[in-house]
Amino acid sequence: MDTKAESIIAGTIISDFKEITKIRLSISVVFSSIAGYLLGTSVVDIQTLMLLAFGGYFMVGASNAYNQIIERDLDALMERTKNRPIPAGRMSVKTAFVIAVLFTILGITALYVINPKTAMYGAISIFLYTSVYTPLKTKTPLSVFAGAIPGAIPFMLGWVAARNDFGIESGTLFALQFFWQFPHFWAIGWFLHDDYEKAGFRMLPTGKRDKGTTVQIIMYTIWTVLVSIIPVFGFTGDLKLSVVAAIVVFAVGMFMLYYAFELFKKQTEKAARQLMLASVTYITLVQIVYVVDKFIG
């Protein structure tokens, strides 16, 4: 085999590994976890930070590998997912399962070394994503509620890693990312609606792209914004937010809410994509503002 062919095969294997573990999603989860850790810690411990980063990556990678094993036949029906490693025939179910189990063990072990509570929430996240959210996707739009729980765990997981405790602070971080999941995923569900229908996935709250769905998106966006500024009022324990930071966080929330209203008015795939991008920008900026405010405040 020539060098060019070998490099193409190696590139495909690496690409498939990144796809089965959804590396971009994993990195966003690691980012959230680290933000939560920085908010919770008084002294940054590099070892804990590395364990959290690797544990978070393995945790999400395992969840996604299990998900793609379970949904392999449905993935083959959708344009967006038919070229994934398993439905495309580039990776066997056995190989994917080995990756998933290995990542589960590595992820929970890394988080356990930090503290048992962190490992417990990591394990709960994997279980809910694979055993509750994934099977419910073809049965009820309530699957998004089930999926929002593991989706909201990373931000608060970082705090638990820092404090070995679940309190009002980590609960607030959880609530913020929990409510945010809905406009984010419903926006995705809107512009991928036709593709999701091919596999029988029921992702939108009303089951279709209508005003009812957009009204719920607006409601959950408002709740997200309200939760995001709660720390400024001083009753979330050690999780604090200065007035200036709260104004910035609120302004970023208004930016996201604007696109939620745009979807309400236009009801187009383009508007849904814009809201999805706005939601990603929102959660990233809010987490950055929270951390920066803590360290300069």
Side-chain angles (χ1 to χ4, degrees):
M1 190 181 290
D2 62 32
T3 308
K4 187 178 179 183
E6 286 176 350
S7 64
I8 290 170
I9 291 169
T12 302
I13 291 169
I14 292 166
S15 176
D16 285 347
F17 181 79
K18 285 156 68 174
E19 181 70 37
I20 201 79
T21 59
K22 285 194 181 175
I23 195 162
R24 281 188 297 179
L25 175 62
S26 299
I27 289 168
S28 72
V29 166
V30 169
F31 181 86
S32 290
S33 300
I34 289 173
Y37 173 76
L38 293 174
L39 288 171
T41 192
S42 51
V43 179
V44 176
D45 180 75
I46 298 300
Q47 183 185 336
T48 303
L49 207 60
M50 295 302 291
L51 286 166
L52 185 61
F54 283 112
Y57 169 69
F58 288 134
M59 182 180 76
V60 182
S63 298
N64 287 311
Y66 287 127
N67 173 264
Q68 289 181 50
I69 291 166
I70 296 164
E71 293 183 345
R72 60 190 183 277
D73 294 333
L74 300 176
D75 280 348
L77 302 173
M78 297 187 288
E79 288 297 318
R80 184 179 62 93
T81 55
K82 68 181 183 182
N83 199 41
R84 282 178 173 172
I86 302 175
R90 295 190 307 274
M91 184 182 289
S92 68
V93 170
K94 184 179 178 181
T95 300
F97 188 70
V98 169
I99 292 170
V101 172
L102 183 64
F103 269 43
T104 303
I105 294 166
L106 289 172
I108 292 174
T109 302
L111 297 178
Y112 189 85
V113 172
I114 298 171
N115 60 58
K117 274 200 181 81
T118 306
M120 179 187 73
Y121 287 119
I124 289 170
S125 176
I126 294 172
F127 173 77
L128 289 175
Y129 191 87
T130 57
S131 303
V132 182
Y133 167 65
T134 297
L136 285 179
K137 282 162 73 178
T138 55
K139 294 178 172 60
T140 171
L142 290 174
S143 63
V144 177
F145 285 82
I149 299 170
I153 284 175
F155 200 16
M156 72 87 164
L157 192 74
W159 186 284
V160 175
R163 299 291 184 97
N164 194 19
D165 180 53
F166 183 91
I168 184 70
E169 302 92 347
S170 44
T172 304
L173 298 179
F174 177 86
L176 170 56
Q177 199 146 326
F178 177 80
F179 286 121
W180 169 82
Q181 302 275 326
F182 296 95
H184 175 69
F185 278 107
W186 285 335
I188 295 170
W190 186 290
F191 66 77
L192 291 177
H193 182 67
D194 293 340
D195 215 20
Y196 279 141
E197 274 201 325
K198 293 174 188 174
F201 288 152
R202 302 170 66 190
M203 304 303 286
L204 297 177
T206 64
K208 50 188 183 287
R209 295 186 278 202
D210 60 7
K211 279 274 199 258
T213 288
T214 60
V215 167
Q216 291 202 48
I217 286 172
I218 289 168
M219 283 170 54
Y220 277 90
T221 304
I222 290 169
W223 289 341
T224 303
V225 174
L226 291 176
V227 171
S228 73
I229 59 170
I230 283 175
V232 78
F233 298 107
F235 49 76
T236 51
D238 291 338
L239 180 64
K240 302 183 190 307
L241 203 60
S242 69
V243 174
V244 173
I247 291 168
V248 174
V249 166
F250 185 77
V252 175
M254 290 301 100
F255 163 76
M256 182 173 158
L257 187 59
Y258 167 79
Y259 285 101
F261 273 106
E262 283 293 289
L263 180 58
F264 174 80
K265 286 191 291 186
K266 296 175 181 174
Q267 295 190 47
T268 61
E269 287 186 17
K270 183 183 176 183
R273 284 183 187 276
Q274 288 174 330
L275 172 59
M276 185 274 289
L277 291 170
S279 70
V280 172
T281 304
Y282 167 84
I283 200 67
T284 306
L285 287 176
V286 166
Q287 289 171 350
I288 291 170
V289 171
Y290 266 53
V291 173
V292 169
D293 184 59
K294 179 197 169 177
F295 285 97
I296 67 170

